[in-house]
Amino acid sequence: MFTKILIANRGEIACRVIRTARKLGVHTVAVYSDADARSLHVEMADEAVHIGPSPVGESYLRGDRIVAAALATGAQAIHPGYGFLSENPDFVDQVVAAGLVFIGPSAASIRAMGLKDAAKRLMEKAGVPVVPGYHGEAQEIVLLASKAREIGYPVLIKARAGGGGKGMRRVEHPDDFSEALSSARREAKAAFGDDRVLVEKYVDKPRHIEVQVFGDNFGNAVHLYERDCSAQRRHQKVIEEAPAPGMTPALRKAMTEAAVKAAKSINYSGAGTIEFIVDASQGLEADRFWFMEMNTRLQVEHPVTEMVTGTDLVEWQLRVADGEKLPKTQSEITLSGHAFEARIYAEDAAKGFLPATGTLHHLKFPGVAPEGAAMRIETGVRAGDAISPYYDPMIAKLVVHAGDRLAGLEALRTALAQTEIAGSTANTAFLAALAADPDFVAEDIDTGLIGRHQEALTAVAPPTGEIISAAAMAASGAGALPSSNDPWSSLAGYAHFHCVARRMRLKFGDEAIQARISVRSDGRFQVALDAPYDSTNSHDLRAVPRLARWPGHITVFEGAVGYTFAVPDPLARSDEAAAATGSLRAPMPGLVKLVRVAKGDAVIKGQPLLILEAMKMEHIIAAPHDGVIAEIAGEGAQVTDGTVLVRFVEDQSASTAAAGG
């Protein structure tokens, strides 16, 4: 076994690899950018090497610096994790040329599967079913539009390089093809440096089912059964599970055999995933699945496979890369129970899953697994860490395993309800709602489920009077946080014949809240809320809800929902005048990719004004109302969170005249 390896990655996956390496007695070397200097993976590794500034192009994508770090520290091999350079065959060549071992497949295998169009042609030759579509080299818009018409709408435009839903657009009508193609190309170019696409038939009720495969350098290849990743939003996975619900013996046999055949056709070594699209419109049939692509690396969702098969896939990676045969034969790999993985992201589900940034002032995961279940928390952050705009906004992966699917879902919902995050917007409430969705529970799943139910899944009930009262008490210092057992830790005040009332101001979003807090003789607090709540609630300090206090804010947790209240500084000047100005600000740091209007243009509510690229995704900034553009950011501008992108003419008469003239 290797004595020292370098991990060419960051965050959650770097921490994951380090844990297995420790178990095997292998020393680890971390690499880090400026933004990650104090990160968890740096703290966990035995050594760490700085490789450059925060942008990935100047650090985690610099293969030369990573190889140099491995040589300088005496590492024998490099584990790429996933993302970044994990599927870059040129990087593999660099590693091998330096006399190091790449913990993954050969450069030839990666090249064979690296481009979706070429991979599908290869799979057709190998006898693996492929979804109908155009996978050719020609990229002229006239040709692509013609092929789309031949295939029949709706079609799916897909970047031929990369994955994660980037550079992917569904097109319902020929009139929308040109705009969708341009947008897909821009996003693909930004994410993968390659704007070429393929066009495929869009399956009406698609299930995304993938098979975990593993090969070694002795010609052996096995599968570790399937995972279902159909719960997606914007073509990105949200909750994954294993095994796939509703899977039939006939389909599992056909699909796993096709997956192993695909791996053997390219002499694959290491962990890989064969992704299939399945037409579920008439149930799961053995002749209704098609190859989509192969991921020549470890997948984000690999823990669910580990849970149901009792394996450590990272250990397998290290052993195979070190020259060992596969640890198990096909007959020795069995399924047990059901596992779910929920991806906890810093994002605002109610705002179209807009990525969020911020400091994780409070971060608490369940201390023990729900009854009857096993649980894993895979994370690369801890309380006090910041979610950076430079990288994927994942906070953690919550993984549960139980005896069957319904028990697993119950365990997932329970664990999500016990997760507490404050300081950055997180998607825990959305995940809990999805885990309780009647169709999801009933196994009526396809990749469009979240889109169809998005309004209900992202809706959060307003805070109750009790929740607001708890926030007001915490803001006033009355009582204490749940960590304190002393109800007298805060001075209540004294009056001779009546209780003392203290007035508190809070803000929930844009809503100002007034509360009056009085302490009673029995030690409980009475909180009266002004209209529109107009209610009175009594609270016993021994039953304070779960909450977190962080600079200028209070977050009260109710199940998987975190209600965050701003606590205004009474000495701070009001900024209401600034809030009333007619402007649009950047919701996050990013790059102004495309500007669609100019100064002086009259626009209507909902009209796209510009496209902001952030975290490798495109976000449309639309007009919130009718008006006339006074100023607009220029294309190519790099903006920070809160930067003014658009200003409107304040004189509404000028707006009306421009719109009419």
Side-chain angles (χ1 to χ4, degrees):
M1 178 55 67
F2 305 116
T3 57
K4 182 186 289 188
I5 64 171
L6 180 141
I7 303 163
N9 218 296
R10 63 175 301 280
E12 168 266 322
I13 183 57
C15 296
R16 163 75 186 89
V17 175
I18 290 170
R19 284 195 297 274
T20 288
R22 279 180 178 173
K23 181 180 71 174
L24 298 175
V26 177
H27 286 254
T28 54
V29 180
V31 293
Y32 65 92
S33 68
D34 289 347
D36 282 337
R38 295 177 178 83
S39 64
L40 182 59
H41 79 279
V42 171
E43 179 184 295
M44 288 179 62
D46 298 299
E47 301 174 59
V49 179
H50 177 251
I51 54 171
S54 302
V56 294
E58 301 175 51
S59 52
Y60 295 107
L61 293 181
R62 287 293 302 268
D64 56 337
R65 294 180 182 175
I66 291 170
V67 170
L71 293 173
T73 56
Q76 301 153 297
I78 294 179
H79 193 299
Y82 42 68
F84 296 144
L85 295 170
S86 63
E87 294 181 281
N88 187 318
D90 295 335
F91 177 61
V92 179
D93 288 337
Q94 279 183 283
V95 172
V96 174
L100 303 169
V101 175
F102 181 77
I103 302 174
S106 67
S109 293
I110 295 175
R111 287 190 174 97
M113 289 295 189
L115 298 176
K116 295 182 180 71
D117 52 356
K120 288 182 178 182
R121 293 194 294 269
L122 178 63
M123 290 299 97
E124 284 179 313
K125 292 181 181 178
V128 177
V130 174
V131 66
Y134 172 71
H135 309 130
E137 292 287 341
Q139 293 288 300
E140 293 79 8
I141 185 172
V142 174
L143 173 67
L144 294 176
S146 173
K147 293 296 184 182
R149 284 193 296 271
E150 290 178 13
I151 296 166
Y153 285 88
V155 298
L156 194 63
I157 299 172
K158 298 173 67 175
R160 75 170 196 158
K166 298 179 178 67
M168 186 180 294
R169 298 291 185 276
R170 176 180 174 174
V171 190
E172 296 283 349
H173 192 275
D175 292 345
D176 302 324
F177 187 84
S178 178
E179 176 67 20
L181 176 63
S182 297
S183 179
R185 280 176 165 168
R186 284 193 305 270
E187 198 168 89
K189 183 70 173 178
F192 316 120
D194 186 345
D195 66 357
R196 287 169 288 183
V197 301
L198 49 86
V199 183
E200 293 180 343
K201 176 66 179 174
Y202 186 85
V203 179
D204 287 330
K205 192 172 183 180
R207 287 269 296 272
H208 179 132
I209 302 177
E210 59 190 33
V211 176
Q212 176 73 60
V213 294
F214 221 107
D216 62 22
N217 295 310
F218 300 91
N220 303 307
V222 297
H223 69 81
L224 290 93
Y225 299 94
E226 79 282 351
R227 299 183 287 258
D228 193 299
C229 307
S230 301
Q232 302 178 4
R233 49 94 176 140
R234 293 168 64 175
H235 304 294
Q236 292 187 311
K237 301 165 186 175
V238 175
I239 293 180
E240 303 98 342
E241 59 182 301
M247 176 60 71
T248 65
L251 178 58
R252 175 173 288 148
K253 182 176 186 295
M255 190 176 283
T256 54
E257 286 179 353
V260 172
K261 184 187 295 183
K264 287 187 174 182
S265 72
I266 57 171
N267 300 313
Y268 195 78
S269 176
T273 298
I274 310 296
E275 297 190 346
F276 295 102
I277 187 168
V278 182
D279 182 354
S281 59
Q282 298 178 6
L284 299 183
E285 300 290 341
D287 61 349
R288 303 292 290 171
F289 75 96
W290 302 280
F291 171 86
M292 284 199 299
E293 62 182 310
M294 180 178 189
N295 289 305
T296 52
R297 53 170 169 78
L298 197 67
Q299 290 279 87
V300 177
E301 59 272 19
H302 75 274
V304 294
T305 293
E306 293 182 321
M307 294 291 248
V308 296
T309 59
T311 57
D312 182 336
L313 294 179
V314 174
E315 178 178 344
W316 282 34
Q317 285 185 299
L318 296 178
R319 292 192 180 282
V320 166
D322 195 41
E324 296 183 26
K325 290 185 177 181
L326 288 174
K328 290 185 178 181
T329 64
Q330 190 65 70
S331 62
E332 294 173 317
I333 303 170
T334 58
L335 277 175
S336 175
H338 205 100
F340 287 92
E341 173 184 289
R343 301 189 187 191
I344 301 176
Y345 279 103
E347 64 182 13
D348 193 335
K351 294 183 178 178
F353 303 102
L354 198 66
T357 55
T359 299
L360 299 170
H361 290 285
H362 178 82
L363 182 63
K364 182 180 178 183
F365 298 110
V368 296
E371 186 177 356
M375 180 181 66
R376 285 168 56 175
I377 304 295
E378 301 282 351
T379 186
V381 296
R382 67 233 136 146
D385 286 350
I387 300 298
S388 166
Y390 295 105
Y391 314 117
D392 183 271
M394 179 182 284
I395 296 173
K397 300 183 311 194
L398 193 158
V399 189
V400 297
H401 177 260
D404 56 44
R405 188 173 189 270
L406 289 179
L409 273 176
E410 179 61 31
L412 179 62
R413 291 190 292 264
T414 299
L416 286 167
Q418 295 172 354
T419 298
E420 301 175 4
I421 300 170
S424 179
T425 304
N427 66 340
T428 49
F430 161 72
L431 292 170
L434 178 58
D437 179 84
D439 286 349
F440 190 76
V441 173
E443 303 182 4
D444 185 10
I445 307 168
D446 62 79
T447 59
L449 183 146
I450 291 176
R452 291 192 302 274
H453 299 186
Q454 186 166 329
E455 185 175 350
L457 292 173
T458 57
V460 175
T464 63
E466 183 175 284
I467 290 171
I468 298 171
S469 297
M473 285 199 301
S476 72
L481 292 174
S483 59
S484 173
N485 296 316
D486 179 13
W488 304 107
S489 61
S490 171
L491 184 62
Y494 170 78
H496 193 56
F497 293 112
H498 58 85
C499 59
V500 175
R502 180 176 180 181
R503 182 172 289 276
M504 284 301 305
R505 293 189 305 120
L506 299 172
K507 286 195 73 175
F508 182 73
D510 295 328
E511 182 179 4
I513 300 172
Q514 297 277 355
R516 296 184 306 280
I517 306 170
S518 304
V519 64
R520 294 164 43 138
S521 60
D522 62 1
R524 290 186 297 166
F525 287 89
Q526 187 176 69
V527 181
L529 304 176
D530 290 354
Y533 300 97
D534 195 25
S535 62
T536 300
N537 299 285
S538 294
H539 292 271
D540 189 323
L541 282 182
R542 290 169 294 181
V544 174
R546 296 180 298 144
L547 53 85
R549 204 185 333 239
W550 48 287
H553 298 81
I554 299 290
T555 299
V556 181
F557 301 101
E558 178 75 7
V561 182
Y563 293 96
T564 294
F565 299 84
V567 184
D569 182 349
L571 301 179
R573 294 182 60 186
S574 172
D575 199 25
E576 292 179 0
T581 58
S583 61
L584 282 175
R585 296 179 182 272
M588 71 192 84
L591 174 72
V592 178
K593 195 70 173 180
L594 182 67
V595 176
R596 293 184 169 180
V597 295
K599 180 179 179 180
D601 284 356
V603 298
I604 61 174
K605 182 178 179 180
Q607 180 178 339
L609 305 180
L610 57 84
I611 293 176
L612 182 69
E613 182 186 270
M615 299 180 182
K616 299 298 184 183
M617 299 291 284
E618 291 188 353
H619 307 275
I620 296 175
I621 305 299
H625 51 69
D626 296 355
V628 174
I629 304 297
E631 295 179 44
I632 190 162
E635 286 186 10
Q638 191 76 43
V639 298
T640 58
D641 186 10
T643 299
V644 174
L645 298 174
V646 183
R647 291 190 191 277
F648 295 94
V649 173
E650 294 184 21
D651 185 354
Q652 293 304 307
S653 63
S655 173
T656 304

